[in-house]
């Protein structure tokens, strides 16, 4: 009899524990700004996860190189001449020189089918004598540091080239509260619709390795002045409470960049 009473009380404790936990989650959702009270279907598709990749999806490696100030021109010239040795192994999405937000810095995005695909590419590059001898051996002494992150496209985003060549690109990084990256990414889709005619969203990503809970937006503007004007006229975002920090870089595409 004592065992039955104990099991009954234990079951009731678990029941109230799970019910109370569910009520807390619902309460937190209710406190979100109206713009972010998404439908249950959107919440399910967003997943509220910190990782951005869906099973089997492509991954995108963001690489940032800091160049010695006295070697910036030489590095870009060498890369322009030898980048074909690198693109023979995997797909380059874009290659930019940072103009505002950092100095003597380049940013580039590489696409891979999977992590195993990237591993095989890196292994092949290590055996490519021309790549090592003609580029890596000369480029490394020109750099002060390298950094990389891995991201995946947001479910609704696709990479699309700007309407025409020229202009400037902006890489905006939004670090969200833990678990809120998917919600912020969903709002970015609305922002991209509102910006049509003034800006072009090239692609939107969510971090997978590196700085987690981060959404990246790659924008194109006709000019740096137009970007500045659009930013001034833009209304304050309705869910800034989801963010921990923001960072932006304005960049120009290199001559050999596929996306210009």
């Amino acid at each position: 009899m004592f065992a039955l009473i104990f099991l009954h009380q234990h079951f009731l404790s678990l029941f109230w524990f799970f019910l109370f936990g569910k009520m807390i989650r619902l309460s937190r959702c209710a406190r979100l700004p109206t713009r972010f009270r998404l439908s249950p279907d959107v919440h399910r598709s967003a997943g509220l996860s910190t990782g951005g990749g869906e099973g089997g999806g492509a991954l995108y490696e963001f690489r940032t190189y800091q160049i010695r100030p006295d070697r910036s021109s030489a590095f870009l010239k060498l890369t322009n001449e030898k980048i074909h040795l690198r693109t023979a192994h995997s797909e380059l999405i874009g290659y930019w020189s940072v103009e505002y937000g950092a100095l003597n810095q380049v940013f580039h995005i590489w696409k891979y089918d999977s992590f195993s695909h990237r591993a095989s590419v890196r292994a092949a590059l290590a055996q490519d004598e021309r790549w090592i001898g003609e580029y890596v051996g000369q480029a490394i002494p020109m750099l002060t540091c390298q950094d990389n992150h891995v991201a995946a496209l947001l479910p609704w985003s696709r990479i699309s080239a700007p309407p025409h060549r020229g202009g400037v690109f902006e890489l905006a990084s939004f670090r969200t509260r833990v678990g809120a990256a998917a919600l912020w990414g969903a709002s970015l889709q609305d922002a991209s619709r509102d910006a049509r005619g003034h800006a072009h969203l090239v692609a939107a990503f969510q971090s997978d390795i590196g700085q987690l809970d981060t959404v990246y937006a790659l924008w194109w503007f006709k000019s740096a002045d137009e970007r500045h004007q659009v930013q001034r006229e833009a209304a304050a975002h309705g869910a800034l409470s989801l963010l921990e920090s923001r960072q932006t870089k304005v960049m120009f595409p290199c001559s050999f960049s596929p996306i210009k």
Side-chain angles (χ1 to χ4, degrees):
M1 177 65 69
F2 176 79
L4 289 175
I5 294 174
F6 174 79
L7 289 174
H8 179 69
Q9 291 177 338
H10 183 64
F11 172 79
L12 287 177
S13 297
L14 289 175
F15 171 77
W16 286 112
F17 174 79
F18 284 112
L19 180 60
F20 182 67
K22 184 173 182 180
M23 291 173 65
I24 290 177
R25 288 194 295 272
L26 289 174
S27 175
R28 287 175 178 171
C29 289
R31 289 199 299 270
L32 286 172
T34 303
R35 186 175 179 179
F36 284 85
R37 293 176 194 172
L38 305 179
S39 68
D41 289 338
V42 172
H43 277 282
R44 281 193 292 271
S45 64
L48 294 180
S49 64
T50 56
E54 298 292 334
L59 61 91
Y60 297 84
E61 183 179 13
F62 293 2
R63 297 183 72 91
T64 303
Y65 295 168
Q66 191 68 43
I67 311 168
R68 285 174 43 187
D70 62 328
R71 302 300 288 164
S72 184
S73 296
F75 176 85
L76 290 174
K77 181 177 183 295
L78 175 67
T79 304
N80 181 49
E81 294 172 351
K82 303 298 181 180
I83 193 67
H84 67 280
L85 299 175
R86 177 62 183 83
T87 54
H89 291 271
S90 64
E91 182 180 355
L92 173 65
I93 299 299
Y95 205 113
W96 296 269
S97 176
V98 179
E99 182 70 13
Y100 304 103
L103 295 175
N104 304 300
Q105 195 176 89
V106 293
F107 171 75
H108 34 129
I109 302 176
W110 297 85
K111 179 182 178 181
Y112 299 97
D113 297 333
S114 62
F115 286 101
S116 59
H117 177 216
R118 181 186 182 276
S120 65
V121 168
R122 303 302 295 179
L125 285 168
Q127 300 299 318
D128 188 330
E129 295 182 359
R130 288 194 64 194
W131 172 246
I132 299 297
E134 297 179 24
Y135 183 77
V136 175
Q138 298 182 55
I140 291 298
M142 300 182 188
L143 305 179
T144 60
C145 67
Q146 298 171 283
D147 183 53
N148 76 330
H149 298 273
V150 176
L153 283 171
L154 289 172
W156 54 265
S157 180
R158 298 292 181 270
I159 295 176
S160 61
H164 57 77
R165 293 192 175 192
V168 300
F169 292 78
E170 178 185 38
L171 178 68
S173 304
F174 305 96
R175 186 184 179 191
T176 72
R177 292 163 52 188
V178 174
L183 285 177
W184 181 265
S187 76
L188 186 60
Q189 185 176 17
D190 295 332
S192 67
R193 295 192 189 103
D194 295 340
R196 288 175 184 172
H198 302 282
H200 176 80
L201 182 64
V202 176
F205 306 85
Q206 185 174 336
S207 61
D208 185 65
I209 293 178
Q211 184 63 68
L212 295 182
D213 300 295
T214 302
V215 173
Y216 303 97
L218 182 61
W219 293 92
W220 174 89
F221 299 88
K222 292 179 181 178
S223 68
D225 287 326
E226 180 167 288
R227 175 209 164 269
H228 181 63
Q229 185 65 30
V230 169
Q231 291 294 326
R232 289 183 61 183
E233 295 176 354
H237 207 290
L240 291 178
S241 61
L242 293 176
L243 295 183
E244 294 287 347
S245 63
R246 294 179 289 173
Q247 185 179 25
T248 187
K249 296 177 182 179
V250 175
M251 316 175 294
F252 288 104
C254 296
S255 59
F256 51 85
S257 176
I259 293 181
K260 294 184 176 65

